Amino acid sequence: MNYYIKFFAEDADTTASLADFFVEQDIQPELDFNTPRLLAMSVAEHEELAASWHARGLNCAVHLPFEMPDPTGRLSLDRREVLDSLLYGVDLSRPYAPRHFVAHPYLFGDAALSGGDLDADLRMWERVAAACAPAGLYLENTLEQSPGALGRLAQRLPATCGLCFDVGH
């Protein structure tokens, strides 16, 4: 089981308590790099936190930055901005040596980045997958009404990529 840690590293006591809980329960967490606090931390702060986790035997997964659509289903970012955000998250999370990465492909309704351009989506995700290597990249559903578009994209992605489904979405 992965736990999604949105509030991790907000304060030292919470961070230590959660790390102890994960160790006691034998849970490997998923660190949410969409959290403003984690994105604002320096590389040195990430290295310190990662070293603390590794010393406890924790090896996390990383959920890369994402933007949720507005109520009309539109995203305020274009594909280039999304790619930059994803690559920044990969670089910033390097000290953790993630087991794998999770990202949202935005293949639903009007929020699709591509407007139906699967080739452009494929090129973007190939770049992200290459940046994540040797760790794998899993594309997670967001608000898609069916897994069809996600499956079509996944069929063309490198072998280091896979799919994961969040039933809460």
Side-chain angles (χ1 to χ4, degrees), residues 69-70 72-75 77 105-115 143:
D70 67 21
T72 67
R74 290 183 174 78
L75 292 173
L77 300 177
Y106 306 112
L107 297 174
F108 49 90
D110 292 337
L113 291 173
S114 64
L143 300 173

Side-chain angles (χ1 to χ4, degrees), residues 74-146:
R74 290 183 174 78
L75 292 173
S76 61
L77 300 177
D78 65 24
R79 186 181 288 107
R80 180 73 223 168
E81 291 170 309
V82 169
L83 177 60
D84 289 346
S85 175
L86 291 165
L87 294 177
Y88 179 71
V90 171
D91 286 342
L92 200 55
S93 67
R94 293 254 182 247
Y96 299 94
R99 295 173 304 151
H100 64 265
F101 293 85
V102 176
H104 292 279
Y106 306 112
L107 297 174
F108 49 90
D110 292 337
L113 291 173
S114 64
D117 187 353
L118 186 60
D119 288 334
D121 283 345
L122 181 63
R123 286 189 300 274
M124 183 179 81
W125 290 112
E126 286 173 337
R127 288 196 57 196
V128 175
C132 292
L137 171 65
Y138 293 92
L139 299 182
E140 180 180 56
N141 65 306
T142 312
L143 300 173
E144 295 84 4
Q145 296 300 307
S146 100

